Amino acid sequence: MNKELIYTLLIFLAVQSTVWFQTNGQFVWNWFKDHPFTLSLFGIPISLGYIYGTKFAYSAFEGMLWPGRLLCFAMGIFSFTILTNYFMGESISLKVALSLILATALVCIQVFWK
């Protein structure tokens, strides 16, 4: 696994997790519910994260955009599942488990299929 791919995965996981807190924190903490404008200011660093994650993915996959987009999607599924379970207590249903399997398959296809 090359350096650009590792950066891609870490950046996309970080920004997807940050977006979870930005949008769903309102259901966990009152401060988040009471300060939507302040939370919206995190959109700038989140956007930069997506820009740099896409840049590293583009490099890692030799000029192809689709693999990075699918990795970003999969990192969102992983982070959403973990954070929603931890903070909201939503269990992993059969439907969610199958979605996680599909997200894992997407990552494996993009990373290992040459």
Side-chain angles (χ1 to χ4, degrees):
M1 196 176 303
N2 66 28
K3 181 174 58 172
E4 285 90 4
L5 181 57
I6 292 169
Y7 291 160
T8 298
L9 295 172
L10 291 175
I11 290 170
F12 283 156
L13 184 61
V15 293
Q16 292 282 15
S17 298
T18 305
V19 168
W20 189 95
F21 286 104
Q22 183 187 39
T23 58
N24 299 307
Q26 63 184 319
F27 307 117
V28 181
W29 302 284
N30 285 329
W31 188 91
F32 281 67
K33 187 182 346 180
D34 297 336
H35 297 89
F37 180 78
T38 304
L39 289 170
S40 71
L41 297 176
F42 285 95
I44 294 171
I46 289 168
S47 294
L48 286 171
Y50 283 126
I51 290 167
Y52 282 104
T54 301
K55 175 183 174 183
F56 285 121
Y58 188 79
S59 176
F61 292 103
E62 299 169 350
M64 296 186 344
L65 286 173
W66 269 110
R69 176 64 190 106
L70 295 172
L71 286 178
C72 185
F73 166 76
M75 293 299 98
I77 294 294
F78 293 138
S79 64
F80 186 88
T81 301
I82 292 166
L83 294 170
T84 302
N85 179 266
Y86 183 80
F87 287 103
M88 303 297 292
E90 293 185 25
S91 62
I92 297 175
S93 66
L94 177 59
K95 182 169 73 171
V96 171
L98 290 174
S99 296
L100 288 171
I101 291 168
L102 289 172
T104 302
L106 281 173
V107 170
C108 290
I109 289 168
Q110 294 306 315
V111 171
F112 299 115
W113 189 337
K114 301 294 178 191

